[in-house]
Amino acid sequence: MQNLLEKLKVDWPTAPETASSIPTLRSRLLAQLNPAQDGEPLPPGALGRLSLKDVANDPGHRAGYDPHVDNCLVTEDLLAVLSELQEAVRHWPEGRSPDAAGAPVSGAADGCLAVHVVSCEEEFQQQKLDLLWWKLDEQAPVTQKHLVCGPVKVAGAADNQMTASEYYKLRHAQVCKASALKHGGDVTKDPNWTEIFGVLCAATIKFEMLSTGPQSQLLLADSSTSTKSTKSGIFVMYNCARLATLFEGYERSVEQGLYPPFPPVSSLDFSLLHDEGEWLLLFNGVLPFADLLSQAAALTCAAPGLHVTARTELVCKFLVQLSMDFSSYYNRVHVLGEPRPHLFGQMFARLQLLRAVREVLHAGLAMLGLPPLTHI
């Protein structure tokens, strides 16, 4: 799984290889275990049942938790998960978590906020784990939140299921096939294309999955629709490459003496931008981006209750729409015009606008953990 996360350019924490705290947790657990009721046998691997009612009824913890959470069947695997969580808190850098006023705070238990990314089917069990962590570890974070993800189904599959590895291989094969059809079959054997295929596959998967709100059901198509649509990650990457090619062409022309070097931005005359598509890029793409970031990045962790939401679909849909607007404009407007002095003013104004568009696309892709491509 870790190798797959690396391919998708996901920086996900891994279990530390240091000495675990499982023995300490086991000792604390055994000191609090309930005796088996009516001689009820425990399942294999279970250490016992622990009452969670006292923690669940604590006013500081109970907001948002299911009132039916009363006890937990504790296993060695569950203690191993708790040990990993403890290590994550122990290695949390001081000052990383802001307080209500926005100032950094220190101390693991006070300054670390635990956000559990959990499927809707497993949330009830995760609530038990939260309460168990508080019960067995006085240094557990004061605040724990849940980011609940909806079910993932596969269209066309008999059981609506597909492993993560199978899904990645399917999308990677589709990306390679599409590239071979466009550029020739030899590109799939060219080592220079290996990294490009990996980035395109990661972009395809991330846009396909993150364009749906995390709480909603995600239906994955087993066809190549996600690699061909103008709403795909590949389409966004393609337009990033077009922008890179545009600016590379300008720089070459400067070296050849066809165009002068780019003047100071303060000297540009933006009143020369008359095309409707230019103002569309500015007012629908560049200017709203900062507000979009604040909406998409905020997990509302300070709000009361157990659940938080993430608006990943806002970023994906914004980047797709910006790419569509740029593509329409670029297909219609010749940005690098004739090398005549009276045309340079409009050309520089257009280039500066497209510089801003490029920065927005790059920043949006960076939020999704994707590097922009300079060519496809």
Side-chain angles (χ1 to χ4, degrees):
M1 178 58 75
Q2 186 61 29
N3 183 47
L4 181 58
L5 292 175
E6 292 174 359
K7 290 180 179 179
L8 291 176
K9 305 185 183 303
V10 175
D11 183 15
W12 196 263
T14 57
E17 297 181 357
T18 56
S20 73
S21 56
I22 293 178
T24 302
L25 289 170
R26 189 186 297 111
S27 297
R28 294 176 181 175
L29 169 69
L30 294 176
Q32 302 182 53
L33 277 180
N34 303 330
Q37 298 179 355
D38 301 326
E40 179 184 356
L42 294 172
L47 298 174
R49 297 184 186 276
L50 186 63
S51 174
L52 301 175
K53 289 184 178 180
D54 56 332
V55 185
N57 291 329
D58 187 314
H61 296 151
R62 67 187 179 196
Y65 282 87
D66 193 306
H68 297 97
V69 176
D70 54 358
N71 66 75
C72 179
L73 181 66
V74 185
T75 63
E76 289 286 353
D77 289 341
L78 206 57
L79 292 185
V81 173
L82 278 183
S83 178
E84 291 182 21
L85 290 172
Q86 285 183 319
E87 284 298 307
V89 171
R90 191 166 68 87
H91 290 91
W92 183 260
E94 288 192 4
R96 285 284 299 276
S97 180
D99 62 11
V105 294
S106 60
D110 296 330
C112 178
L113 166 71
V115 178
H116 303 286
V117 182
V118 59
S119 69
C120 56
E121 296 93 343
E122 298 175 352
E123 199 209 354
F124 186 74
Q125 182 62 27
Q126 181 63 51
Q127 291 189 20
K128 290 186 176 184
L129 183 61
D130 294 0
L131 298 172
L132 181 64
W133 193 4
W134 276 319
K135 181 143 186 169
L136 297 183
D137 182 8
E138 61 184 14
Q139 293 299 315
V142 174
T143 305
Q144 299 186 66
K145 297 284 188 177
H146 287 190
L147 176 57
V148 180
C149 298
V152 179
K153 306 295 183 181
V154 181
D159 55 0
N160 282 328
Q161 292 184 354
M162 178 186 295
T163 66
S165 180
E166 291 171 344
Y167 173 52
Y168 181 86
K169 289 178 181 178
L170 173 65
R171 291 292 180 252
H172 191 274
Q174 291 168 344
V175 166
C176 292
K177 181 179 180 180
S179 299
L181 291 174
K182 184 173 183 179
H183 302 284
D186 291 341
V187 297
T188 59
K189 302 176 183 178
D190 187 345
N192 295 323
W193 279 79
T194 302
E195 183 178 355
I196 295 176
F197 289 149
V199 172
L200 291 179
C201 182
T204 298
I205 291 174
K206 286 188 174 183
F207 271 80
E208 184 177 17
M209 301 193 77
L210 299 179
S211 292
T212 299
Q215 294 77 20
S216 303
Q217 175 176 298
L218 175 62
L219 184 63
L220 301 178
D222 59 358
S223 65
S224 58
T225 302
S226 59
T227 63
K228 297 179 179 180
S229 170
T230 55
K231 297 182 179 180
S232 70
I234 288 184
F235 181 69
V236 176
M237 288 295 186
Y238 170 65
N239 284 284
C240 281
R242 296 174 83 183
L243 278 166
T245 301
L246 169 68
F247 285 100
E248 287 172 4
Y250 167 72
E251 294 296 338
R252 284 196 302 269
S253 296
V254 171
E255 294 173 359
Q256 295 168 5
L258 297 177
Y259 297 141
F262 205 88
V265 176
S266 59
S267 68
L268 299 181
D269 183 4
F270 292 105
S271 67
L272 297 173
L273 299 177
H274 303 299
D275 191 276
E276 181 181 355
E278 293 161 349
W279 296 104
L280 190 67
L281 289 171
L282 179 64
F283 286 104
N284 288 0
V286 176
L287 295 182
F289 184 61
D291 289 337
L292 171 84
L293 291 184
S294 63
Q295 294 178 46
L299 284 175
T300 62
C301 292
L306 177 62
H307 299 100
V308 295
T309 58
R311 303 299 305 276
T312 58
E313 73 278 8
L314 293 180
V315 179
C316 295
K317 293 177 180 178
F318 178 89
L319 294 178
V320 167
Q321 184 60 55
L322 179 57
S323 297
M324 293 175 66
D325 292 341
F326 164 71
S327 180
S328 175
Y329 171 75
Y330 192 68
N331 289 338
R332 190 168 40 80
V333 176
H334 192 51
V335 179
L336 299 180
E338 294 291 328
R340 299 178 181 179
H342 71 282
L343 299 177
F344 289 160
Q346 186 179 57
M347 181 188 72
F348 286 135
R350 286 172 169 172
L351 285 173
Q352 182 59 28
L353 171 64
L354 295 182
R355 275 183 174 178
V357 171
R358 180 180 61 177
E359 290 180 7
V360 167
L361 286 174
H362 288 192
L365 289 173
M367 286 189 68
L368 303 177
L370 292 170
L373 292 178
T374 56
H375 67 281
I376 295 181

